[in-house]
Structure formats: structure tokens, C-alpha cells
Amino acid sequence: MGNLFKIAIRNLLRYKRRTLLTASLVTLGIVFVLLFVSVTGSFKSMMIGQMTDSMLGHLQVHRKGYLASIDNLPLNLNMKMQTYKKLEGILNQQPEIEAYSPRIKFGGMFSTFVETTNIRLNGVYPDRELKTVPLLPSRVTNGTEKTLEKGEIWIPELMAKSMKVNMGDTVVIIATNQDGSVNGKQFKVAGVLESVTGPGGRDGYVHIEDAMEVLRMEEMEVSEVAIRLKDFGRLYAFTEKLDGLLSGELNKQGKPVFEVHNWEKLSPFYNIAQMIDIMALFIKFMLIAVVLVSIMNVMIMAVYERVREIGTIAAIGTLPGKILSLFILEGLSLGVLGVVAGNILGFIIIAILNLSKMTFSFGRQTGLILSARVAPMDMLVISLIVILISVIASLQPALKASRMEPIKALRHV
Amino acid sequence: MGLVVAENITKIYSVVATKVSKDYKVGEIAIRALNEVSFEIEPASFVSFVGPSGSGKTTLLNLIGCLDKPTEGKLEVAGTDVLHLDRKQSASFRGNNLGFIFQDFNLLPVLTVFENIEYPLLMVQKIPGVERKKRIMALLEAVGMTDQRDKYPDQISGGQKQRVAIARALVTNPKLVLADEPTANLDHKTAFLVLESMKKMRNEFRTTFVFSTHDQKIVGEAEIIYSLEDGELVGKQVKGGQKNG
Ligand SMILES: Nc1ncnc2c1ncn2[C@@H]1O[C@H](COP(=O)(O)OP(=O)(O)O)[C@@H](O)[C@H]1O
Ligand SMILES: [Mg+2]
């Protein structure tokens, strides 16, 4: 094996320029893939982070059927106190959960005494909400205090602008409760919230007890519970686990009481994230095609140029299998050369990108710093695929070489 | 008398050819390149097949070298009936019993002189390092190439290349070395030197040498000369002068 390698490497060095060109093609391919994967990956994870940490939470639990009509914020689909207590009991026992926050979601009228418009509101416990969606305060653009007191309201930026509402202004929220009776309450504007793309991205926030007061709830009801996990990587496993635990809870009709959704089901951004993954896949396919074609090309040339040498070694008794290995090792070495160079170069370029602190915007969020990162696992998988492809690319030429008739090959000029 | 007969029966010839014929198919037509050729070659002999171009020398040497199969006849090489060897068996038979010297030297350009001679010991036979080195050094010495051992083929002359090729052919201790026109690409002086090297090797290692040539001046170096014409064996000359029909 060592000797086969020696001969393979020497044969590669024999045509230095050609080897260098082909290896660079592989190298460039790897660099592009690594850059694409790391930059889009960074973009993706930042977006997911923004979604989950400033608004959605990692996953949410609703009363069965709520999500389907979430646009109407149906008060009649809230969990009753008793149901919520049951849920709380289960959630409190899950060690994976970092924090969770119950929310009352409702729609109402927002009035500045001059103008009136519609508003969607979340009634939350500010401390619990901030533990569940820790980036929420970062969306507050104008607030001095980054926490929400009773009697205060955070309103979405667009509304503040169009209604010409300033910090500290007094506004009135009017809402119709489940029984159809209308109630109003005065709030002090304590913060203006940057919008986030997606449902709920233009909602305002009030204290949950204020929400109960506006809606004249005697007992607390809960529209949704947002949950934050200690380890986001365990999202799927935990979603499944919780779903399993909650599906045991049935109502009097024997139907499940709760529904569990992770952020992917809650945000349209998930489709964009998937698109990014598909694009990365396409780029990887292109890399595979480039490696396949370029290495196959070189190996076909190599076999063609060395017909007489193949005839010679076959004549003096080299077995076909050895000849096959010789050429496969040559293609493999070429691939490995490109892979090693590609990984090193890709790593350096990504490091430079990160050092240059490039920024980008997403929706209304600007100045997000690009932090490109490739998982070592990704690098390994890409490298292994490329090496495998270089073996596959050499297979046909190598087989051809190993099957040559020595006398014909020796006659070749 | 009885002793002599017994010796003849048990003797293993290097080559025994019995009515060997070879046809090449070119389209629909079969060209007879060899026609019912019969001969025996004794171990440690120094044999040449002579004849003009197209007389069938290469064809015959390819058959003896198990690179091709006769169309008809029987052929034994080194005591083995080689007619029924398959591709892989042929390859390992060649690797274990035969040595080859080519007209164009056919050294591997990416290997040094030393490595070229080493090649069959690594890739064809499996000989441990110490033994390998011993054999290579002995052969380098014998062909007078010790001081060139680290040069690459394109750094040495044609005569030197052919001496390296001789060493490569002998390094596996073959029973028979086949050389198809080994001197055709060399000037006369070098050609004689190369043949001298081959003969010296024969004397030292008792290996059978069979070579072909179309060059009448070179032929004299052989001890047994077979003449080929149009695929037929037309004469045998044993050194000393007697000619057999
Ligand atoms: N592969 C082949 N296909 C067809 N005819 C061949 C082939 N090889 C040799 N011949 C023919 O066989 C005859 C003997 O050729 P060859 O053995 O090469 O002669 P020599 O080596 O003495 O020049 C020639 O007529 C040649 O044209
Ligand atoms: Mg010939």
C-alpha cells in the first residue's frame, strides 16, 4: 500500500501544473461550499435566534385548535385556570425547560383620544416573559426602563409612528370580552417595540393582570404558553416528548386538550430557513459535479498517457487489482490534496470574514453582525464526500487500466 | 546408457513448444503469424530467434511469455502447461517465473534506478526488506549501475537503461528471461555490451535467456540460434557451427 501510494503521488507530481489546476478546482469548490454554508448558516441561526428569543420562544402550547384560528385571537379557545394548572404541573417537572411564560392574547382598540385603531396585545408576566424571550427588551427602542410595570404598555413601532404616540403618553385600550361586554383601561406608553417579521411581530405587551382587568376575567385564562429550553439542540426530541406527555390529557369528549408546536410551525421564516438549506444542498451537488468531472478528466488522461507503462507493469506480473488500486489512489490523493487545501483556505477566509465584522440587515433589523461558523461535523462530512467522489471518479479509468491486455498496451505508441 | 535415458526423461525444459501455431484475426481473415513451430529450450541456455521483420519473433516471444495464447499446439514454460492459465494466473505466473526485457527499456519514469529494480519485489512478489536490498545491490553491482542507483531513467543513457532493465528482469530470480529485440534501440557497441551483460547474468544466475533480433551482427552472441521466416522455424544453429534443418 505504501509503495502504491508512493508511485501514485510521484505520478501526480509528474504533471505538476495539471495536478495543481485540478486540485485548485476542488479547493475552490470546497471554499465556496464552506463559505456558503457558514454565511447562510450564520444568517439562519441568527434569524432563528431573533424569532425564538425575541417573540416566539422555542415552542408553544395552546389549547387544541387555537393555532388554527390565531388570527382572530379567539378568547373562547383560551385555557381555563384548571387546565392551565394541569399544564403547569407537567411543565414544572421537565428538566429541559429553562423558562416558560403564559400569555393572554387579545385584540382591542387603541385610542390616543385623538385617533383610534386596532391593536393586538399580549398580557404577560414581564419577569417570566423576559426569561422566556430574553431578546424582547432589545426590541424596545425608546424605553428607559426595560421592564414592564402594571399600568404600562409597550406598543409596536409602526403604531407609535402612525398615531404619533410618544413615550409617557397616556392611551386607552378598549376590548370586548368573551361575553360581549366592552371595557376600557388607561395605560402609560413605556416602550416602543421594533417589529419582527412573522405573526405576533407587531403585537403590543401589557401586564397579564391588566389584561385580565380589561377582559374582566375573574379567573386567569391563558391563550398560549411559550417555552424556552436550556438546549435548543434538543428541540425536536423535547417537542416530541412534551407532545407525548400532553396528548394523554383528554377532555370530557375524549379529545386531546393541548397542542404543541415548535417555532418551525409558528413562523413563516421556517420556509426561508428550509430554502437556505435547499440552496446549500444544490451548492453541494455542484461541488460534487465539479469534483467528479475534473478528477475523472484528469484520470482518463493519466490512463491514456500511460498505456505503455500499464502494459509494462502488467507484463512483468502486476495483478489487475494492484493496477486498479494504483490509479484509484492517484485520484484519491488528488481529492485529498484539494480537500486539505480547501479546508485550510476556507477556514482562513471565514476567520477573516468574522474579523472584518461584516453587518447585514433582516427585515427592520439592521446592524446584525455576521458571525460565520462551520460545524467541524459539516467540514468533515463535506471532506469525506469529496474524497469519496474522487475515488468514484477514478474508478472507471482505473478499471480500464486494470483490464488492459499487456501486449496491446505495450504496442501502444 | 540407462542413466542417460533417465536423465532425459526427468529433465525440465525451460520451454517445450509442440506444433505451436498462432493466427491473428483481422476482420474476417485469419493471418497465420506462426505455423506449427516446435522446439525445446534447455535451462541456462542463451537462445536467440532471428528473422526479418514480420517473421513472427514477437508473436513467439509473447506466447512463451504467457502474454498471449497459441491458436493450436502445446506449450510448456518452466514445466507448466500455460495454455489453460486464466488472466490472473498468467499474471502471477509471469511474475513468479519470468523476466522481461523490452526493446524500449520500459522503465517506470517516476521511479529511480534502484526503485525500478525494486518494483517487482514489492508489487509482484513480496520479499522482505533486507533480502530485497541485498538482491538489488548485487544486481546493481553485476550490471555496473551501483553509482547510478538514485538517478531517474531520463537521466541515464539507453545502454544504461537496458542494463537496469536486465537487473529488473532478474531480481525475482526467474527461470526464464525473455527479451524481444532488446538491442534494437541501441548502437552496435552498446548492443554488444548489453548482450555481454545478459550473458554474464546467465553465467552467474544460471537463468535461461531467450531473445529475438533481426540484426545479423548481434545474432552471433547467441549460443543457440533459431531462424524464423514467415512464421516457420527454418533453421537451428548451435554455436560451434553445425546447422540442423
Ligand atoms: N495483433 C496483430 N494483429 C494482426 N496481425 C498481427 C498482429 N501482430 C502481428 N501480426 C502479424 O503477424 C506477423 C508476425 O508479426 P510479428 O510477430 O510482430 O513479427 P516480428 O516480431 O518478427 O516482426 C506479421 O505478419 C504481422 O503483421
Ligand atoms: Mg517484433
Side-chain angles (χ1 to χ4, degrees):
Chain A
M1 194 72 170
N3 295 294
L4 282 171
F5 241 121
K6 181 178 80 186
I7 298 176
I9 299 283
R10 295 237 188 120
N11 273 320
L12 282 178
L13 293 176
R14 190 165 163 187
Y15 307 100
K16 284 199 186 67
R17 194 183 314 185
R18 190 168 79 191
T19 301
L20 212 64
L21 278 175
T22 311
S24 338
L25 213 54
V26 177
T27 300
L28 274 183
I30 297 228
V31 167
F32 275 125
V33 169
L34 288 181
L35 274 182
F36 185 86
V37 167
S38 64
V39 170
T40 56
S42 141
F43 181 77
K44 203 179 94 177
S45 62
M46 191 173 294
M47 287 315 107
I48 294 173
Q50 288 284 327
M51 291 292 144
T52 57
D53 294 358
S54 72
M55 178 171 75
L56 295 174
H58 291 161
L59 62 165
Q60 294 182 356
V61 181
H62 299 97
R63 184 166 149 191
K64 189 93 189 163
Y66 187 89
L67 199 66
S69 41
I70 194 164
D71 282 341
N72 313 327
L73 302 173
L75 293 171
N76 60 327
L77 285 176
N78 284 345
M79 300 171 205
K80 297 283 177 285
M81 191 63 186
Q82 210 184 341
T83 317
Y84 173 67
K85 283 283 173 225
K86 226 186 265 174
L87 177 62
E88 218 171 25
I90 292 171
L91 293 183
N92 284 340
Q93 279 166 19
Q94 307 310 316
E96 294 93 333
I97 294 180
E98 161 99 25
Y100 65 89
S101 172
R103 296 169 177 167
I104 298 175
K105 296 176 90 76
F106 64 104
M109 304 292 285
F110 174 90
S111 170
T112 59
F113 304 102
V114 183
E115 273 182 282
T116 302
T117 185
N118 294 318
I119 189 168
R120 299 162 62 96
L121 286 164
N122 290 300
V124 295
Y125 292 111
D127 51 337
R128 297 179 67 175
E129 182 71 13
L130 293 192
K131 279 194 192 117
T132 309
V133 284
L135 286 185
L136 181 60
S138 74
R139 289 173 53 204
V140 180
T141 51
N142 274 335
T144 39
E145 294 278 331
K146 296 235 159 174
T147 173
L148 188 66
E149 302 291 334
K150 263 198 234 175
E152 290 181 342
I153 184 169
W154 284 349
I155 61 167
E157 193 178 28
L158 284 175
M159 188 171 288
K161 276 201 182 124
S162 62
M163 305 283 287
K164 295 183 194 69
V165 182
N166 293 316
M167 292 290 298
D169 286 359
T170 301
V171 296
V172 177
I173 295 295
I174 303 143
T176 315
N177 75 2
Q178 218 181 313
D179 312 322
S181 72
V182 178
N183 192 21
K185 180 171 163 58
Q186 284 198 4
F187 288 89
K188 194 173 104 208
V189 176
V192 173
L193 284 177
E194 258 178 8
S195 305
V196 174
T197 316
R202 296 196 175 115
D203 288 4
Y205 286 83
V206 294
H207 196 285
I208 198 164
E209 285 169 15
D210 291 338
M212 285 168 66
E213 190 186 326
V214 173
L215 294 171
R216 288 198 172 130
M217 285 178 186
E218 261 133 54
E219 234 182 17
M220 189 174 77
E221 294 174 10
V222 173
S223 315
E224 76 185 12
V225 178
I227 300 171
R228 179 178 181 78
L229 299 180
K230 287 179 183 140
D231 178 7
F232 183 65
R234 304 219 15 166
L235 178 68
Y236 297 113
F238 183 75
T239 308
E240 214 165 289
K241 177 186 171 194
L242 189 64
D243 204 25
L245 285 171
L246 295 183
S247 63
E249 300 294 331
L250 303 177
N251 62 15
K252 287 178 201 107
Q253 286 82 45
K255 299 251 171 66
V257 182
F258 300 109
E259 57 186 18
V260 181
H261 299 279
N262 60 29
W263 76 271
E264 292 174 356
K265 306 278 163 26
L266 300 166
S267 168
F269 180 73
Y270 178 59
N271 296 328
I272 300 175
Q274 269 188 322
M275 202 76 86
I276 288 174
D277 289 343
I278 290 171
M279 268 156 64
L281 196 68
F282 275 128
I283 300 259
K284 283 177 195 162
F285 275 127
M286 278 194 16
L287 172 71
I288 287 173
V290 166
V291 171
L292 193 73
V293 171
S294 54
I295 292 194
M296 200 184 257
N297 179 44
V298 166
M299 292 315 295
I300 288 172
M301 299 253 289
V303 169
Y304 184 75
E305 286 161 348
R306 272 183 252 152
V307 171
R308 274 165 55 91
E309 281 169 45
I310 296 164
T312 305
I313 61 174
I316 66 178
T318 313
L319 293 178
K322 277 261 165 74
I323 298 176
L324 183 83
S325 323
L326 187 63
F327 281 93
I328 287 183
L329 278 180
E330 197 171 323
L332 176 91
S333 307
L334 194 55
V336 168
L337 186 70
V339 162
V340 170
N343 276 317
I344 294 173
L345 198 62
F347 198 80
I348 292 173
I349 294 179
I350 289 170
I352 292 173
L353 265 185
N354 286 337
L355 281 179
S356 68
K357 299 236 180 299
M358 265 170 50
T359 57
F360 63 96
S361 310
F362 176 71
R364 300 184 38 77
Q365 292 155 321
T366 54
L368 299 170
I369 292 171
L370 182 83
S371 74
R373 203 166 292 129
V374 258
M377 195 62 196
D378 265 356
M379 266 174 141
L380 192 71
V381 168
I382 292 168
S383 303
L384 287 182
I385 289 176
V386 168
I387 290 170
L388 183 74
I389 292 298
S390 34
V391 170
I392 292 172
S394 338
L395 204 59
Q396 190 272 336
L399 270 174
K400 193 179 161 201
S402 73
R403 287 176 184 161
M404 273 180 196
E405 283 297 331
I407 37 172
K408 270 193 201 143
L410 282 168
R411 261 208 314 271
H412 188 92
V413 272
Chain B
M1 261 321 249
L3 259 174
V4 174
V5 172
E7 197 197 324
N8 272 344
I9 289 168
T10 55
K11 178 183 261 167
I12 293 178
Y13 284 99
S14 289
V15 183
V16 181
T18 317
K19 294 200 167 182
V20 168
S21 298
K22 176 70 185 177
D23 293 344
Y24 288 114
K25 278 229 157 58
V26 180
E28 289 295 294
I29 326 153
I31 296 174
R32 178 140 286 210
L34 278 180
N35 190 27
E36 303 204 336
V37 174
S38 301
F39 58 87
E40 293 103 34
I41 293 172
E42 300 201 10
S45 48
F46 202 71
V47 181
S48 176
F49 286 91
V50 210
S53 175
S55 57
K57 305 180 296 290
T58 299
T59 304
L60 182 57
L61 259 66
N62 283 345
L63 294 181
I64 300 173
C66 291
L67 293 165
D68 208 352
K69 293 260 160 71
T71 315
E72 282 162 30
K74 265 190 69 182
L75 184 60
E76 256 179 44
V77 181
T80 305
D81 177 0
V82 295
L83 254 62
H84 306 294
L85 299 179
D86 66 21
R87 230 175 101 72
K88 220 173 143 182
Q89 288 167 333
S90 294
S92 53
F93 179 81
R94 292 195 300 269
N96 289 316
N97 298 283
L98 307 179
F100 288 89
I101 298 168
F102 304 91
Q103 180 177 335
D104 304 308
F105 325 125
N106 291 17
L107 299 178
L108 297 183
V110 295
L111 300 181
T112 63
V113 164
F114 184 94
E115 289 166 339
N116 262 289
I117 302 173
E118 192 183 29
Y119 179 92
L121 298 183
L122 290 168
M123 308 294 272
V124 180
Q125 301 186 345
K126 292 249 177 316
I127 307 293
V130 181
E131 165 72 9
R132 212 159 61 214
K133 180 129 199 229
K134 218 175 81 192
R135 277 202 215 173
I136 299 163
M137 293 315 287
L139 279 165
L140 276 170
E141 188 64 43
V143 296
M145 290 293 291
T146 308
D147 52 341
Q148 314 282 329
R149 50 179 281 191
D150 293 325
K151 290 200 172 154
Y152 284 89
D154 59 4
Q155 297 168 320
I156 58 178
S157 71
Q160 287 176 318
K161 281 183 203 169
Q162 204 57 308
R163 274 145 61 197
V164 175
I166 294 169
R168 178 178 68 182
L170 283 165
V171 78
T172 55
N173 294 334
K175 300 193 176 75
L176 172 65
V177 171
L178 295 161
D180 189 14
E181 310 240 14
T183 58
N185 284 349
L186 301 172
D187 61 67
H188 266 115
K189 213 177 122 210
T190 317
F192 278 109
L193 287 174
V194 163
L195 284 175
E196 284 310 313
S197 291
M198 282 166 59
K199 208 178 272 175
K200 182 175 165 230
M201 295 296 120
R202 192 281 310 267
N203 296 338
E204 231 170 277
F205 300 101
R206 309 305 296 164
T207 311
T208 314
F209 273 80
V210 176
F211 70 97
S212 73
T213 183
H214 65 273
D215 187 341
Q216 290 298 333
K217 287 180 207 133
I218 296 292
V219 173
E221 290 297 302
E223 289 164 2
I224 299 167
I225 303 161
Y226 287 102
S227 298
L228 277 172
E229 250 169 53
D230 293 331
E232 310 230 8
L233 210 52
V234 294
K236 176 183 178 182
Q237 199 184 335
V238 178
K239 198 160 183 185
Q242 75 268 48
K243 188 166 182 168
N244 302 351

